């Protein structure tokens, strides 16, 4: 979508790095794990071109599921990983087990509903279980992942996904940090607002530090 392209461009400019968009296969025509496999291929290409220590990943919503699935697959294959990963309003529990799915989808100001999420999850997974670790990373062994940061809203339907990801990485002594806002918007970084600019600037600071790019305050 145009909003995601603009967001990627803005983040790339703030980081002072090349920004690559991941145009992976889409469900239901190409269900799980096609998008993950495409992302693995893109990572390997980027590693060869730039070197793993010079590559970071950023993703939002369902793209966070795909991105973490790719990282887990690379890790399990003994391959290099990226220097860091930044997630915005991540969807990492396709089983919809978090309490936030019930509380937030029931509120009148939320445009998202559990029914819609469940439909999208099934279209992506096909016959695969919705607790498959490569699709729902909260059920995965999260050891050995790159430093990770999450930005989200505490009013987001996927908020519990973010909390469970942070907790799971901390349990494996990994680096994970979370920042959240009181915004009613899902993936607020898509919008031209002060909150969006603040979030992207903070995300760029996190990624630049991991890349060793100068100019970080």
């Amino acid at each position: 979508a145009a909003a995601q392209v603009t967001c990627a461009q803005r983040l790339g400019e703030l980081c002072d790095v090349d920004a690559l968009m991941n145009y992976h296969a889409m469900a239901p025509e190409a269900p799980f794990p096609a998008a993950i496999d495409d992302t693995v291929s893109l990572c390997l290409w980027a590693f060869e071109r730039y070197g793993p220590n010079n590559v970071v990943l950023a993703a939002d919503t369902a793209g966070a599921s795909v991105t973490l699935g790719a990282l887990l697959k690379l890790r399990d294959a003994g391959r290099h990983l990226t220097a860091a990963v930044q997630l915005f309003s991540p969807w990492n529990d396709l089983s919809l087990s978090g309490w936030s799915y019930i509380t937030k989808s029931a509120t009148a100001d939320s445009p998202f509903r559990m029914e819609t999420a469940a439909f999208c999850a099934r279209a992506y997974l096909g016959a695969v279980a919705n607790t498959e670790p490569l699709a729902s990373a909260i059920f995965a062994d999260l050891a050995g992942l790159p430093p990770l940061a999450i930005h989200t809203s505490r009013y987001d339907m996927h908020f519990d996904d973010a909390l469970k990801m942070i907790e799971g990485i901390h349990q494996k002594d990994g680096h994970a940090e979370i920042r959240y806002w009181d915004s009613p918007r899902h993936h607020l970084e898509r919008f031209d607002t002060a909150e969006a600019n603040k979030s992207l600037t903070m995300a760029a600071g996190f990624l630049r530090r991991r890349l060793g790019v100068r100019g970080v305050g």
Side-chain angles (χ1 to χ4, degrees):
Q4 270 78 8
V5 172
T6 300
C7 186
Q9 290 174 334
R10 291 170 65 194
L11 188 57
E13 289 170 357
L14 287 168
C15 289
D16 194 24
V17 297
D18 294 337
L20 306 177
M21 287 295 294
N22 182 16
Y23 289 100
H24 56 69
M26 300 289 287
E29 292 79 12
F32 174 90
I36 291 175
D37 292 339
D38 285 350
T39 306
V40 167
S41 296
L42 178 62
C43 286
L44 293 176
W45 178 88
F47 293 166
E48 184 175 348
R49 181 179 178 88
Y50 299 100
N53 293 333
N54 297 317
V55 176
V56 294
L57 294 174
D60 68 271
T61 319
S65 168
V66 172
T67 297
L68 286 174
L71 286 173
L72 291 168
K73 199 163 188 178
L74 287 166
R75 181 203 65 186
D76 292 346
R79 306 299 293 260
H80 290 293
L81 300 181
T82 60
V85 56
Q86 170 73 52
L87 304 179
F88 301 103
S89 301
W91 186 12
N92 294 130
D93 177 11
L94 275 62
S95 74
L96 315 181
S97 64
W99 184 244
S100 59
Y101 284 100
I102 298 173
T103 58
K104 308 313 177 188
S105 66
T107 58
D109 61 349
S110 173
F112 301 100
R113 295 290 183 270
M114 286 187 70
E115 296 89 342
T116 304
F119 176 84
C120 293
R122 187 46 52 199
Y124 172 59
L125 290 168
V128 176
N130 54 21
T131 55
E132 160 61 43
L134 290 182
S136 295
I138 67 162
F139 299 107
D141 176 355
L142 298 174
L145 291 180
L148 177 144
I150 293 177
H151 290 189
T152 188
S153 168
R154 68 186 185 95
Y155 293 110
D156 196 280
M157 186 171 68
H158 305 297
F159 184 59
D160 283 359
D161 294 27
L163 297 180
K164 291 177 181 178
M165 279 299 305
I166 297 295
E167 181 182 4
I169 293 174
H170 285 172
Q171 287 177 349
K172 297 295 183 177
D173 297 323
H175 179 97
E177 52 193 74
I178 184 170
R179 302 179 181 89
Y180 57 88
W181 284 259
D182 291 333
S183 171
R185 286 174 164 167
H186 172 71
H187 184 18
L188 61 88
E189 293 77 16
R190 294 174 296 165
F191 303 94
D192 186 13
T193 65
E195 279 187 328
N197 291 332
K198 179 179 179 181
S199 178
L200 288 172
T201 299
M202 295 176 75
F206 168 75
L207 295 175
R208 287 168 67 106
R209 284 190 294 272
R210 296 299 166 178
L211 288 168
V213 178
R214 294 183 179 180
V216 179

